[in-house]
Amino acid sequence: MNTAVDVVGLGKSFGSIRALDGVSFQIREGEVYGLIGPNGAGKTTTLRVISTLILPTSGSVSVFGFDVVRQPDEVRQILSYLPEEAGAYRNLSGYEYLHFMAKFSGSDTREAIEQAAKISGLGDRLKDKAKTYSKGMKRRLLLARALMGKPRLAILDEPASGLDVLHAYHIRQIIKNYVKEHGVTVLLSSHNMLEVEYLCDRVALVNKGKIVLEGKPVDLKTQYDSQNLEEVFAKVVGYA
């Protein structure tokens, strides 16, 4: 299987704060890979470097062979990024927002909007203004925006954070079905370790800017004789 993302010795400092300290991992084409760990562990910083939003202090990152520092334009053309705190334009309807974003990204507008409408599952509510949406509906709209251009790599930061059970379930189903249908590669971050067991082919446990463990969820649970990844994480970092 081809390598989609190659992260080698990634370091990032903000003044005297070392946010990332020698992070290395590879993501295979067509898999869902999860970075999991507590808030402040370095997950979002890693995603932002890969997305070309911030420059690394050290190390290297390539996305389908393109270097994120030397070839950022090429990288941006093949990935989409959904930040945790992303928002939609309040006074646009769902359809208007998707139409605007499709034109902005250079996608085939009609096909992209039809794809996004299907992904969101919002039906006739797409005719309503975004300010009338619940948090879960907004997140579904934003996820549809992130996926509608059929990116080679979709980077999702806490895709279901703060959502109720039903909306979180719908978000996970969207991601899982989209990967299966289109073969897109997904990198996601989450502090919800139970959630990623359902979604991810492989995970990396991140703590204090370092990867402390990596592997398939089922293998990690077996290795550490644990019922779930939360228990694995607690044992690895010495909380259990």
Side-chain angles (χ1 to χ4, degrees):
M1 187 176 292
N2 295 330
T3 298
V5 179
D6 191 14
V7 178
V8 180
L10 185 62
K12 179 61 181 178
S13 296
F14 298 96
S16 61
I17 299 173
R18 186 73 168 168
L20 298 176
D21 189 6
V23 168
S24 297
F25 60 89
Q26 288 186 331
I27 305 175
R28 301 161 187 155
E29 188 171 358
E31 79 172 337
V32 181
Y33 189 93
L35 295 178
I36 60 176
N39 292 330
K43 305 184 302 296
T44 294
T45 300
T46 302
L47 300 190
R48 288 175 177 169
V49 172
I50 296 172
S51 301
T52 76
L53 297 178
I54 59 175
L55 293 171
T57 304
S58 58
S60 65
V61 179
S62 64
V63 178
F64 289 100
F66 297 112
D67 186 276
V68 299
V69 175
R70 297 195 305 269
Q71 300 166 293
D73 291 339
E74 288 85 345
V75 172
R76 291 169 191 150
Q77 289 176 10
I78 60 175
L79 66 74
S80 65
Y81 175 52
L82 176 61
E84 180 180 4
E85 299 300 329
Y89 296 108
R90 288 172 44 81
N91 289 316
L92 295 183
S93 71
Y95 274 123
E96 289 169 341
Y97 171 76
L98 293 174
H99 182 78
F100 173 78
M101 295 306 296
K103 290 180 67 176
F104 182 77
S105 64
S107 304
D108 182 312
T109 304
R110 178 177 295 179
E111 181 182 351
I113 293 174
E114 289 176 356
Q115 178 74 15
K118 178 182 177 182
I119 292 169
S120 73
L122 292 174
D124 286 342
R125 286 304 307 273
L126 286 171
K127 300 175 183 177
D128 299 331
K129 291 186 176 182
K131 65 182 179 182
T132 69
Y133 291 0
S134 68
K135 184 174 181 180
M137 292 171 65
K138 289 177 184 175
R139 201 63 178 166
R140 286 160 62 176
L141 178 69
L142 292 166
L143 180 60
R145 187 275 303 165
L147 297 178
M148 68 181 180
K150 298 180 182 178
R152 295 185 72 184
L153 173 66
I155 299 178
L156 312 174
D157 194 358
E158 301 282 0
S161 177
L163 302 187
D164 62 34
V165 173
L166 290 178
H167 279 299
Y169 173 80
H170 192 86
I171 290 290
R172 291 195 292 269
Q173 287 296 111
I174 289 172
I175 296 169
K176 205 169 185 68
N177 292 339
Y178 194 84
V179 169
K180 183 177 180 180
E181 183 176 351
H182 297 286
V184 67
T185 304
V186 173
L187 168 61
L188 64 87
S189 78
S190 180
H191 65 271
N192 185 336
M193 300 187 196
L194 300 178
E195 175 177 89
V196 299
E197 288 186 39
Y198 173 80
L199 271 178
C200 296
D201 300 300
R202 290 187 302 134
V203 299
L205 277 63
V206 185
N207 191 47
K208 298 179 180 178
K210 296 182 178 181
I211 290 180
V212 295
L213 195 65
E214 183 188 39
K216 297 179 180 179
V218 64
D219 293 342
L220 297 181
K221 289 188 290 183
T222 299
Q223 180 181 347
Y224 285 87
D225 190 25
S226 300
Q227 295 297 313
N228 53 59
L229 288 179
E230 286 184 347
E231 190 176 338
V232 171
F233 186 85
K235 289 180 178 179
V236 170
V237 300
Y239 292 152

